[in-house]
Amino acid sequence: MLYCAFPECESQVVSQSIFLVCLISPQHPFTSHEFSSYVHTEAVQAALAKYKERKMPMPSKRRSVLVHSSVETYTPPDTSSASEDEGSLRRQGRISSTPFQSHSNVEPWLNRVIQGSSTSSSASSTSSHPGGKSAAASNTAPATTAATVLADLMVASVRGVPRGYSSSILETADGVPVNSRVSSKIQQLLNTLKRPKRPPLKEFFVDDFEELLEVQQPDPNQPKPEGNQVNVLKGEPLGVVTNWPPSLLAALQRWGTTQPKAPCLTALDTTGKAIYTLTYGKLWSRSLKLAYTLLNKLTTKNEPLLKPGDRVALVFPNSDPVMFMVAFYGCLLAELIPVPIEVPLTRKDAGSQQIGFLLGSCGVTLALTTDACQKGLPKAQTGEVVTFKGWPHLIWFVIDGKHLAKPAKDWHPQVRDASSEIAYIEYKTSKEGSTVGITVSHASMLAHCHALTQACGYSEAETLTNVLDFKREAGLWHGVLTSVMNRMHVISIPYALMKVNPLSWIQKVCSYKARVAVVKSRDMHWSLLAQRDQRDVSLSSLRMLIVADGANPWSISSCDAFLNVFQSRGLRPEVICPCASSSEALTVAIRRPSELGGPPPGKAVLSMNCLSFGVIRVDTEEKLSVLTVQDVGQIMPGANMCVVKVDGTPYLCKADEVGEICVNSGASGTAYFGLLGITKNVFEAIPVTAAGMPVSDQPFTRTGLLGFVGPDYLVFVVGKLDGLMTVSGRRHNADDVVATALAVEPMKFVYRGRIAVFSVPVLHDDRIVLVAEQRPDASEEDSFQWMSRVLQAIDSIHQVGVYCLALVPANTLPKAPLGGIHISETKQRFLEGALHPCNVLMCPHTCVTNLPKPRQKQPDVGPASMIVGNLIAGKRIAQASGRDVSQLEDNDQARKFLYLADVLQWRAQTTPDHPLFLLLNSKGTVASTASCIQLHRRAERVAVALMEKGRLNVGDHVALVYPPGVDLIATFYGCLYAGCVPITVRPPHPQNLATTLPTVKMIVEVSKSACILTTQAIMKLLRSKEAAAAVDIKTWPTILDTDDMPKKKLASVFRPTSPDMLAYLDFSVSTTGILAGVKMSHAATSALCRSIKLQCELYPSRQIAICLDPYCGLGFALWCLCSIYSGHQSILVPPLELESNVSLWLSAVSQYKVRVTFCSYSVMEMCTKGLGTQTDVLRGVNLSCVRTCMVVAEERPRITLTQSFSKLFKDLGLSARAVSTTFGCRVNVAICLQGTAGPDPTTVYVDMRALRHDRVRLVERGSPHSLPLMESGKILPGVKVIIAHTETKGPLGDSHLGEIWVSSPHNATGYYTVYGEEALHADHFTARLSFGDTQTMWARTGYLGFLRRTELTDASGERHDALYVVGSLDETLELRGMRYHPIDIETSVIRAHKSIAECAVFTWTNLLVVVVELEGSEQEALDLVALVTNVVLEEHYLIVGVVVIVDPGVIPINSRGEKQRMHLRDGFLADQLDPIYVAYNM
């Protein structure tokens, strides 16, 4: 059986039974569309009642970001979870915003973490009620917090984090520190996310390689239309009137000459007083004067400025209908085409640029305006009106009387019959914000007046009150055009008067005994709110109250409520006439008053769920999600109408199907001016039957209205194409969503009901965004509560999730001309990050249901089959090596140079005065130098001091705590001379002892140093009172200062018994926060120096410049070891000096004409940022001497940085080929290094999606998802590299991603210690392949990469194997079964907004946390939340769990310029970042 929405026979019954009257409480203040809320309120309250108050984590916000918040909502700083000694680390005055839940909820979770700690946990946040006591205060337990209790149970902090950090930290089972406040919110977030989501959609997946997003499978149970196809409806014929004028101008001429005294238009001021009444005689004579002046008096270079057919802009304020009318008819008489637009108030009005585009495309050169309006426009210095952004240059002509000329006696305008020539152009702003001009011909204009006259029964000399904008749509059609056709009298009510007195239109209807009024729902609603003061108004004169926006979902409640109140004041029910119109088709349908023979009004209560599938079902059961609509009457006389499918070919719809209404009539617009393509689509649609037959030989115009035809051929409209949002295949109407949001206690919270709803495309689907203005007095708590309730209401009623809900301060959304919200501009600002919200709630977890299926790890192929597979595929095993050192000419020298202490003595004897080191200070002058003999003598003195003062034995460890300089080098060799093992340590920072000193202490303790060598100044610092606050200074070993040592001769230099003896320890903290020391033997040390010497061709005659930190890795080797071995001179530039003189390094390179130079990424970044804007500092600097500039790194090469550096300094002679990178790691500090010979480093592009699956797929440059990877320099002599599978440890083929393993004489011999994680790293230095060559001993680097044989040849004539480093395994994030490199996500995030200075990501309990540094004003902070979430979804298919916005410089970076993400994570969880805003995505 067919369930049609309206059985024809019962139409009367249906309309009565569905009839729904809503009372409106009158005391609400003014708003623009609150009236929509009343039907919904009950439904929404019922929906909300179904949800118990959900516990959602409330965002944290820094005090300064709170927009308007009263004193009572201030929460005291949260000290309940901070122990005493952390006080120094906390920035005071943090406002803690609290989790959206009571204190007791946190406890069970914390107790689980503490695993049975006896004290009751009071580490929750403070209570959130105004004036509430802090949670700790209400607790009877002593003030020790759960966190301090934990300190005893705690493992010593695993990371290289100072003790002060961890004293207030809890640890979860996996040993990661947690602070109660942040983590309780994250726990709430996890609990919220565990709630069942919407039923999962059918997964759609091919190969885990091609990450296909889920394809939305249609729900088999969704409603489908079942009615018969609806044919074309024909309107009543247009009546033939004998004395009907042949054109609108003919009517004006007739009335202007035969009835000159008849009133045409009355204008009112803001007090409601009539200021001027324009008669038909005046309108005619002034229009003539204007037409004559325009055609004859405006000239440029003796040519008339305008010719017939030119377009002219009409710029008149809403308060001046008289001048507008004169201008409009004056243009028509002069055969010019008027283009009415809004008055531009500032240079940056919302949408003003688009209006400018329209004027430009229409070729407008002249704008007509009034004297008063012209005076109010912004002026340039010359006194002329400024050219608005995007506007063409306009001549402004004022049309007040004194500027117009009297027509010559012999001049008469031609009043022609209506033709198909363009009469006027009406502007319209589309959903995307672009503005188009709709052309209306003279014939259409006349036909439309004719049809309106017949449909509304207009008669001569009737009075009409017009509240609408007279420049466009119904205000223009009724109040300017049809009124003149019928010699009617229009009372025009300006917007400014309605704002002051919402009842003004009703009073004017009453005093002028108006027969017709043209209004919008808003005007009826506003008058309801103010009507109680007025007892004496009567609306009995009205025969028609035309509701121009009768097609809106909320107009029905306004109509019903208005009738309910004013029926007692003479308003008859049948007078209310909703109508539907569109800019393209003009009036589409209008309800006829019953005396004109219209059928009784109809109403329908429709199921919202079915509507979202485009199907009409009357709903009586489910009262929650229904839409009540009223009819908008019947179609216009002389028109044909049909309903067609919204997408694709315009097939006719079935009777119970919603479609787009199309109209074919002589009274519709003809085209979009100048836009042929979309004109054809909209104005020349050919509807077809199911069989594909055209329904008519006439084209139809698409109206942009969605609806259906009900009983009695009444038209029902349920939405607009412009407000349509298609989410996961279901259609939702923006206006309906607004109505639901407004029904959630709107008056308490939303400022004047201002809410905008639109959709943005994210990850191949539309996502709903809701933006509301919040009242100035709303508190944080209120706003968050309102947001969560809105989410629940929309979820219940529309069964759709809101992707982003943003609140902005009152009055900050862009306004449309008459006070509404400019939706497209709001959307534009949202997407550009220029909305500046004061609160944001993102819900990607609930909305985004089309992510690719998480990758299931395949059972791994064994290593043997892997090799066989590669052989069959013709792929070679991925291995490569540098030059073979055993074959080289310097072998005997290498044997001699086995111990660096011997080399230094030899150089001191053979070339005593040869300069080895030159240290520069920040001014660029030489601070100190060292020749071979000077260095040798200082080393001897240090050795004597160690033995005599320090009483050290051979093999004792010595910590060298020096600033970068020659002292550091001299003491290093002093230790070797004495047979001690040196460890270089970065000195603590005097201004930041609290965080830097604990690291020094830790290295000294972990390395078991028996003595510390340092300067006097640092020695004082280590024993100072400030130091005592950070560490226990009583436990330092012996401290010796080397500033003034006795000049004693060393009896004998210590000679190691075997080259495998330990030479020095190299300590550093990895980016994952692990402190590790590696052991370097004498053999490895000399092999390392030899490799670098061969690769860079270093000889005593060479000079190299080094701008690196000298404490670990390759930086240490270049600074302290290589010059001694190779004899070249090193120019030392401490990176710290660049902070006071950025150009220091490059000036030195230029001054000393250096061919080879080394730097770090942080140095390169300082030069790029610091010198990019002020290249004048570099006058006289010439970099053409540089053959190779190498960036020392332990990471994937940063191509963008090296490229921008090369580009920036190209003009100073830097060769594009000079810049390259090196690669080393803990197990081998120098694996690759470009050197001076060999091919240039190559770059390949790989597919980022394949990388997530541990695969390499080479793609073309610029293809989507491509990621450029640069080779990390050439493999050093003596180094062998192989790529091994991370799990099976089998060898991999060429261009396969795996772990880089290295074998070389200069590999470190093992970890001295890995602080806290010894067991994990046992096989790092002694790994063997599980298949193939199982004999060779390899060291595992812990880095993912691949080898690729290139077309280039290396020095030996072999084909060159390039090594590409992808990233550290420890840093990777395992999410959704895939492996992500943080840098890739960070690169995307940094691109998302100009104010993001830096970004770091990490995971916490499977949530992705993104920390961004905001370089801009704090009001931009919340703009970033949505942009960050969007870009990570779009480019990485990941949902961001938490977005943390912090100040610049918060993300910790080590000396190599690498981000310390784990330090950052610990700081975040211990709540030490002082974030500007923390958003928890739902």
Side-chain angles (χ1 to χ4, degrees):
M1 169 176 172
L2 166 68
Y3 294 101
C4 178
F6 305 96
E8 301 282 320
C9 54
E10 297 170 28
S11 65
Q12 304 295 320
V13 189
V14 169
S15 51
Q16 280 150 25
S17 63
I18 295 174
F19 197 64
L20 199 124
V21 175
C22 304
L23 287 173
I24 296 194
S25 57
Q27 60 274 26
H28 288 300
F30 238 44
T31 100
S32 48
H33 49 324
E34 281 122 35
F35 42 79
S36 52
S37 61
Y38 298 100
V39 173
H40 259 66
T41 308
E42 295 164 56
V44 167
Q45 297 313 334
L48 290 176
K50 292 201 303 191
Y51 288 80
K52 295 189 183 58
E53 211 38 82
R54 277 191 196 167
K55 301 284 181 280
M56 286 150 85
M58 192 167 148
S60 328
K61 181 185 289 191
R62 186 185 288 171
R63 180 95 197 121
S64 53
V65 189
L66 299 181
V67 177
H68 310 279
S69 65
S70 52
V71 185
E72 303 87 85
T73 58
Y74 179 74
T75 320
D78 169 23
T79 47
S80 58
S81 61
S83 61
E84 295 71 14
D85 63 347
E86 188 203 340
S88 57
L89 283 173
R90 302 181 69 78
R91 301 191 203 173
Q92 281 311 306
R94 274 283 277 113
I95 170 162
S96 93
S97 78
T98 45
F100 194 46
Q101 67 177 29
S102 68
H103 167 60
S104 56
N105 283 33
V106 191
E107 287 189 8
W109 182 65
L110 280 177
N111 288 337
R112 272 210 313 284
V113 174
I114 296 167
Q115 289 157 344
S117 134
S118 55
T119 9
S120 78
S121 132
S122 63
S124 147
S125 163
T126 45
S127 101
S128 59
H129 303 295
K133 292 183 13 226
S134 95
S138 61
N139 210 317
T140 49
T144 53
T145 60
T148 34
V149 173
L150 260 175
D152 315 328
L153 313 167
M154 220 169 73
V155 199
S157 171
V158 175
R159 320 268 160 212
V161 178
R163 197 177 58 85
Y165 252 59
S166 52
S167 55
S168 68
I169 289 176
L170 309 178
E171 287 223 341
T172 50
D174 59 356
V176 179
V178 193
N179 162 283
S180 55
R181 186 162 102 223
V182 177
S183 57
S184 58
K185 290 195 175 173
I186 290 182
Q187 189 58 33
Q188 284 171 14
L189 181 53
L190 291 173
N191 292 343
T192 316
L193 298 181
K194 275 182 202 144
R195 285 199 326 271
K197 279 203 212 171
R198 295 213 171 68
L201 298 151
K202 285 275 176 292
E203 311 273 3
F204 182 78
F205 227 67
V206 181
D207 170 332
D208 66 346
F209 200 73
E210 298 290 350
E211 294 183 15
L212 285 179
L213 293 172
E214 279 177 10
V215 169
Q216 305 286 352
Q217 300 292 334
D219 175 1
N221 304 323
Q222 74 180 47
K224 296 190 173 53
E226 300 160 350
N228 299 323
Q229 185 175 295
V230 175
N231 290 319
V232 175
L233 277 185
K234 293 199 184 318
E236 63 197 82
L238 263 180
V240 180
V241 184
T242 44
N243 63 348
W244 196 253
S247 71
L248 196 53
L249 289 176
L252 174 61
Q253 185 179 27
R254 173 171 155 198
W255 304 130
T257 49
T258 63
Q259 304 270 0
K261 293 276 189 296
C264 167
L265 177 76
T266 297
L268 308 173
D269 65 8
T270 47
T271 64
K273 240 182 39 236
I275 37 177
Y276 184 77
T277 294
L278 180 72
T279 60
Y280 277 93
K282 273 278 183 246
L283 175 58
W284 172 245
S285 63
R286 286 169 69 181
S287 305
L288 277 180
K289 263 179 154 175
L290 177 59
Y292 177 74
T293 309
L294 290 176
L295 290 177
N296 300 291
K297 297 296 174 192
L298 299 181
T299 54
T300 53
K301 304 189 186 120
N302 295 331
E303 287 287 308
L305 181 68
L306 299 165
K307 0 182 239 312
D310 283 354
R311 272 77 55 200
V312 175
L314 267 50
V315 185
F316 292 88
N318 182 267
S319 55
D320 202 341
V322 171
M323 293 301 242
F324 173 80
M325 213 154 169
V326 170
F328 191 88
Y329 282 105
C331 287
L332 293 186
L333 280 170
E335 296 184 24
L336 298 169
I337 299 171
V339 185
I341 57 168
E342 306 305 331
V343 179
L345 298 175
T346 63
R347 295 203 59 169
K348 292 211 296 229
D349 278 7
S352 156
Q353 207 170 340
Q354 261 62 40
I355 291 279
F357 176 73
L358 171 70
L359 296 178
S361 63
C362 289
V364 171
T365 53
L366 179 75
L368 304 184
T369 187
T370 66
D371 196 35
C373 183
Q374 202 264 359
K375 285 197 174 93
L377 291 171
K379 306 289 189 298
Q381 253 95 30
T382 55
E384 287 187 9
V385 176
V386 296
T387 299
F388 295 98
K389 193 175 170 196
W391 284 39
H393 181 68
L394 295 180
I395 297 167
W396 292 82
F397 181 64
V398 172
I399 66 159
D400 297 44
K402 58 176 185 276
H403 299 283
L404 302 184
K406 203 170 172 197
K409 289 265 188 322
D410 55 349
W411 184 82
H412 295 293
Q414 291 182 309
V415 178
R416 306 172 190 242
D417 288 0
S419 65
S420 59
E421 300 288 314
I422 302 176
Y424 68 94
I425 293 177
E426 179 172 310
Y427 84 86
K428 170 202 169 172
T429 304
S430 75
K431 184 179 180 179
E432 284 71 48
S434 55
T435 297
V436 290
I438 291 156
T439 60
V440 179
S441 68
H442 283 274
S444 298
M445 181 167 72
L446 182 72
H448 189 222
C449 291
H450 191 163
L452 279 179
T453 304
Q454 183 171 329
C456 303
Y458 285 144
S459 57
E460 221 171 287
E462 262 191 318
T463 306
L464 174 146
T465 309
N466 179 26
V467 191
L468 307 185
D469 180 7
F470 49 73
K471 292 190 280 293
R472 47 199 301 260
E473 299 199 329
L476 175 71
W477 306 329
H478 290 268
V480 175
L481 306 178
T482 312
S483 59
V484 168
M485 172 68 89
N486 294 297
R487 192 174 67 81
M488 292 161 71
H489 179 195
V490 176
I491 317 297
S492 190
I493 314 271
Y495 176 65
L497 171 57
M498 281 297 288
K499 269 170 95 172
V500 184
N501 174 10
L503 270 179
S504 50
W505 71 271
I506 297 185
Q507 292 159 353
K508 294 304 162 216
V509 166
C510 183
S511 57
Y512 283 94
K513 300 277 183 287
R515 306 272 291 136
V516 181
V518 189
V519 299
K520 281 194 165 173
S521 316
R522 167 178 79 182
D523 308 318
M524 298 161 76
H525 178 69
W526 281 3
S527 56
L528 280 176
L529 301 181
Q531 54 84 22
R532 286 175 309 164
D533 333 330
Q534 294 285 335
R535 289 279 166 266
D536 50 353
V537 292
S538 158
L539 293 176
S540 55
S541 63
L542 279 182
R543 62 177 190 81
M544 263 190 111
L545 175 58
I546 297 170
V547 185
D549 61 348
N552 261 350
W554 46 60
S555 66
I556 180 166
S557 55
S558 294
C559 293
D560 290 346
F562 188 79
L563 177 63
N564 200 45
V565 170
F566 283 100
Q567 200 159 2
S568 59
R569 316 231 179 122
L571 181 70
R572 305 191 305 285
E574 63 274 14
V575 165
I576 295 180
C577 298
C579 77
S581 61
S582 83
S583 304
E584 290 80 2
L586 312 189
T587 311
V588 174
I590 186 165
R591 198 187 283 173
R592 319 283 200 272
S594 48
E595 70 259 21
L596 293 178
K603 293 199 180 184
V605 179
L606 305 175
S607 150
M608 200 84 101
N609 182 43
C610 295
L611 277 180
S612 72
F613 292 108
V615 177
I616 300 147
R617 291 285 179 270
V618 174
D619 192 313
T620 46
E621 313 304 311
E622 175 67 51
K623 285 289 174 280
L624 281 188
S625 46
V626 293
L627 180 69
T628 307
V629 285
Q630 61 183 357
D631 70 282
V632 287
Q634 293 173 304
I635 61 168
M636 296 295 284
N640 297 323
M641 188 187 101
C642 63
V643 181
V644 301
K645 292 199 187 298
V646 178
D647 303 313
T649 314
Y651 286 108
L652 291 179
C653 285
K654 297 184 174 171
D656 55 347
E657 188 174 9
V658 174
E660 185 177 7
I661 296 171
C662 294
V663 172
N664 153 249
S665 115
S668 60
T670 43
Y672 292 126
F673 187 89
L675 302 169
L676 301 175
I678 56 173
T679 290
K680 192 163 178 56
N681 193 12
V682 171
F683 292 92
E684 298 165 27
I686 306 285
V688 292
T689 61
M693 294 299 294
V695 296
S696 150
D697 49 1
Q698 297 289 312
F700 278 67
T701 298
R702 289 175 176 271
T703 62
L705 299 173
L706 302 174
F708 58 93
V709 180
D712 286 337
Y713 303 112
L714 291 174
V715 178
F716 287 83
V717 175
V718 294
K720 293 193 181 73
L721 215 50
D722 263 0
L724 196 64
M725 305 180 293
T726 307
V727 182
S728 313
R730 289 174 57 213
R731 304 201 291 237
H732 304 276
N733 215 24
D735 287 341
D736 296 340
V737 178
V738 170
T740 301
L742 277 171
V744 182
E745 315 161 285
M747 300 326 331
K748 280 195 207 149
F749 188 76
V750 181
Y751 177 71
R752 295 188 66 171
R754 292 172 60 80
I755 293 185
V757 169
F758 50 86
S759 62
V760 294
V762 180
L763 204 63
H764 311 296
D765 200 358
D766 275 358
R767 315 284 176 193
I768 296 179
V769 178
L770 189 150
V771 185
E773 287 188 5
Q774 76 176 43
R775 284 175 56 159
D777 52 358
S779 72
E780 289 293 292
E781 200 76 347
D782 292 348
S783 54
F784 192 69
Q785 198 149 3
W786 183 80
M787 287 161 95
S788 13
R789 292 172 70 92
V790 166
L791 290 178
Q792 292 159 8
I794 292 172
D795 192 81
S796 281
I797 288 178
H798 303 271
Q799 284 100 49
V800 68
V802 175
Y803 176 69
C804 174
L805 211 158
L807 298 176
V808 298
N811 266 325
T812 54
L813 285 180
K815 292 190 171 64
L818 291 185
I821 298 173
H822 199 294
I823 302 283
S824 57
E825 183 82 8
T826 303
K827 175 174 173 175
Q828 195 55 36
R829 285 190 194 176
F830 173 79
L831 291 172
E832 285 168 1
L835 200 57
H836 307 330
C838 49
N839 259 316
V840 169
L841 188 54
M842 300 280 302
C843 307
H845 290 281
T846 34
C847 291
V848 180
T849 49
N850 62 333
L851 285 172
K853 198 196 266 179
R855 172 181 175 215
Q856 306 301 316
K857 285 267 165 69
Q858 303 301 324
D860 267 319
V861 185
S865 357
M866 204 87 113
I867 285 201
V868 173
N870 279 323
L871 291 174
I872 292 170
K875 278 201 174 157
R876 55 184 210 97
I877 294 299
Q879 58 185 41
S881 49
R883 282 183 289 168
D884 182 355
V885 275
S886 57
Q887 307 301 311
L888 293 174
E889 67 290 345
D890 67 341
N891 274 341
D892 40 337
Q893 186 197 3
R895 277 193 291 279
K896 272 189 224 144
F897 281 14
L898 205 51
Y899 302 107
L900 280 182
D902 295 0
V903 180
L904 180 56
Q905 289 174 81
W906 176 75
R907 289 201 186 281
Q909 283 160 10
T910 53
T911 54
D913 299 324
H914 175 65
L916 285 177
F917 296 105
L918 209 113
L919 177 76
L920 300 183
N921 62 15
S922 61
K923 296 188 181 63
T925 50
V926 177
S928 61
T929 59
S931 63
C932 302
I933 190 76
Q934 287 167 329
L935 194 65
H936 168 65
R937 285 189 183 139
R938 282 162 84 172
E940 280 193 320
R941 272 183 254 162
V942 172
V944 171
L946 283 172
M947 291 167 174
E948 293 181 0
K949 273 202 211 165
R951 300 207 167 80
L952 295 189
N953 303 317
V954 168
D956 279 352
H957 295 183
V958 179
L960 313 180
V961 185
Y962 287 92
V966 178
D967 279 350
L968 181 71
I969 304 167
T971 48
F972 177 81
Y973 287 98
C975 290
L976 296 188
Y977 280 10
C980 296
V981 177
I983 297 113
T984 47
V985 183
R986 178 191 309 278
H989 196 295
Q991 271 80 55
N992 192 4
L993 282 180
T995 48
T996 56
L997 190 59
T999 311
V1000 175
K1001 183 88 163 104
M1002 207 183 233
I1003 295 176
V1004 169
E1005 284 173 4
V1006 171
S1007 64
K1008 304 192 173 67
S1009 295
C1011 170
I1012 295 174
L1013 289 183
T1014 184
T1015 63
Q1016 253 169 6
I1018 295 175
M1019 181 159 127
K1020 281 199 189 106
L1021 190 63
L1022 295 180
R1023 294 187 166 146
S1024 66
K1025 224 167 46 220
E1026 294 77 19
V1031 299
D1032 179 0
I1033 58 172
K1034 294 194 186 71
T1035 56
W1036 287 120
T1038 318
I1039 303 179
L1040 299 180
D1041 82 81
T1042 52
D1043 286 359
D1044 40 0
M1045 289 176 298
K1047 295 192 173 176
K1048 282 197 180 172
K1049 208 76 175 101
L1050 182 67
S1052 70
V1053 172
F1054 171 76
R1055 180 120 198 178
T1057 51
S1058 133
D1060 296 333
M1061 267 182 80
L1062 190 56
Y1064 69 94
L1065 289 178
D1066 183 342
F1067 266 89
S1068 72
V1069 178
S1070 75
T1071 50
T1072 51
I1074 293 170
L1075 175 70
V1078 294
K1079 297 186 283 198
M1080 286 294 282
S1081 66
H1082 288 279
T1085 306
S1086 64
L1088 171 65
C1089 293
R1090 182 184 180 201
S1091 269
I1092 294 173
K1093 168 184 185 269
L1094 293 169
Q1095 194 80 332
C1096 299
E1097 300 176 6
L1098 299 174
Y1099 308 107
S1101 56
R1102 284 278 157 85
Q1103 275 183 325
I1104 70 171
I1106 302 167
C1107 189
L1108 290 167
D1109 270 324
Y1111 300 107
C1112 61
L1114 187 54
F1116 165 77
L1118 290 164
W1119 188 288
C1120 293
L1121 309 176
C1122 292
S1123 277
I1124 310 297
Y1125 188 90
S1126 311
H1128 59 270
Q1129 186 183 12
S1130 294
I1131 294 150
L1132 306 175
V1133 183
L1136 212 62
E1137 305 288 2
L1138 264 69
E1139 286 179 14
S1140 46
N1141 175 7
V1142 189
S1143 59
L1144 177 64
W1145 168 52
L1146 293 177
S1147 308
V1149 166
S1150 162
Q1151 183 189 339
Y1152 293 97
K1153 301 204 168 31
V1154 171
R1155 291 177 60 176
V1156 176
T1157 180
F1158 291 89
C1159 71
S1160 65
Y1161 279 126
S1162 33
V1163 166
M1164 195 168 260
E1165 200 155 25
M1166 275 163 90
C1167 293
T1168 318
K1169 281 187 177 156
L1171 298 169
T1173 46
Q1174 41 178 55
T1175 31
D1176 49 327
V1177 189
L1178 297 171
R1179 274 209 195 96
V1181 170
N1182 179 357
L1183 301 177
S1184 54
C1185 53
V1186 178
R1187 276 186 59 183
T1188 173
C1189 162
M1190 286 170 272
V1191 190
V1192 171
E1194 299 191 5
E1195 56 179 302
R1196 177 201 302 178
R1198 299 188 199 172
I1199 296 193
T1200 31
L1201 180 56
T1202 52
Q1203 282 176 347
S1204 53
F1205 179 82
S1206 303
K1207 246 191 222 130
L1208 189 59
F1209 298 110
K1210 188 176 77 185
D1211 300 345
L1212 299 180
L1214 182 67
S1215 146
R1217 307 168 50 179
V1219 180
S1220 64
T1221 64
T1222 70
F1223 173 62
C1225 61
R1226 297 281 59 217
V1227 299
N1228 184 326
V1229 296
I1231 297 170
C1232 301
L1233 201 147
Q1234 184 59 32
T1236 43
D1240 288 343
T1242 52
T1243 299
V1244 293
Y1245 291 84
V1246 298
D1247 186 319
M1248 206 184 315
R1249 292 167 307 176
L1251 269 190
R1252 293 173 204 157
H1253 299 289
D1254 288 342
R1255 308 193 189 173
V1256 176
R1257 181 165 66 178
L1258 299 178
V1259 291
E1260 290 300 313
R1261 176 182 177 169
S1263 65
H1265 304 283
S1266 64
L1267 173 74
L1269 292 177
M1270 184 164 86
E1271 178 187 353
S1272 295
K1274 303 287 162 285
I1275 296 173
L1276 280 164
V1279 175
K1280 281 209 225 117
V1281 169
I1282 193 158
I1283 305 295
H1285 193 286
T1286 48
E1287 276 144 27
T1288 64
K1289 301 197 170 88
L1292 291 173
D1294 192 82
S1295 297
H1296 275 58
L1297 189 70
E1299 186 180 7
I1300 301 168
W1301 286 14
V1302 58
S1303 160
S1304 121
H1306 64 255
N1307 274 9
T1309 44
Y1311 284 120
Y1312 178 71
T1313 174
V1314 177
Y1315 190 51
E1317 303 194 10
E1318 284 84 347
L1320 296 180
H1321 301 278
D1323 70 337
H1324 273 197
F1325 293 87
T1326 54
R1328 295 172 195 268
L1329 289 173
S1330 58
F1331 198 83
D1333 166 14
T1334 53
Q1335 293 316 298
T1336 312
M1337 196 84 86
W1338 300 87
R1340 298 176 57 179
T1341 63
Y1343 282 79
L1344 286 172
F1346 60 95
L1347 280 163
R1348 179 170 168 268
R1349 180 148 277 187
T1350 63
E1351 297 302 313
L1352 306 167
T1353 49
D1354 56 27
S1356 59
E1358 295 288 313
R1359 275 178 65 187
H1360 167 65
D1361 291 313
L1363 174 65
Y1364 298 94
V1365 178
V1366 174
S1368 153
L1369 259 167
D1370 284 349
E1371 292 259 287
T1372 55
L1373 313 173
E1374 286 268 337
L1375 291 163
R1376 300 178 59 75
M1378 292 175 277
R1379 202 195 299 273
Y1380 286 87
H1381 294 270
I1383 185 69
D1384 296 328
I1385 300 175
E1386 289 158 0
T1387 306
S1388 299
V1389 169
I1390 288 172
R1391 278 204 317 266
H1393 191 275
K1394 62 181 187 313
S1395 296
I1396 298 178
E1398 188 50 275
C1399 160
V1401 303
F1402 53 83
T1403 53
W1404 168 243
T1405 56
N1406 275 342
L1407 286 177
L1408 179 63
V1409 181
V1410 178
V1411 180
V1412 291
E1413 291 184 356
L1414 169 70
E1415 197 172 42
S1417 71
E1418 285 191 356
Q1419 64 171 25
E1420 289 182 305
L1422 283 82
D1423 285 314
L1424 306 181
V1425 178
L1427 296 182
V1428 166
T1429 309
N1430 291 357
V1431 76
V1432 176
L1433 258 173
E1434 284 279 0
E1435 297 185 8
H1436 303 279
Y1437 306 158
L1438 288 177
I1439 293 178
V1440 177
V1442 185
V1443 181
V1444 187
I1445 293 154
V1446 296
D1447 298 310
V1450 167
I1451 295 172
I1453 284 180
N1454 67 12
S1455 57
R1456 291 188 296 272
E1458 298 162 339
K1459 295 172 198 167
Q1460 303 280 19
R1461 296 182 183 89
M1462 293 308 129
H1463 275 339
L1464 181 69
R1465 179 174 88 170
D1466 296 345
F1468 168 65
L1469 294 171
D1471 204 27
Q1472 290 162 343
L1473 302 185
D1474 185 23
I1476 299 170
Y1477 192 81
V1478 181
Y1480 299 94
N1481 285 349
M1482 304 309 300

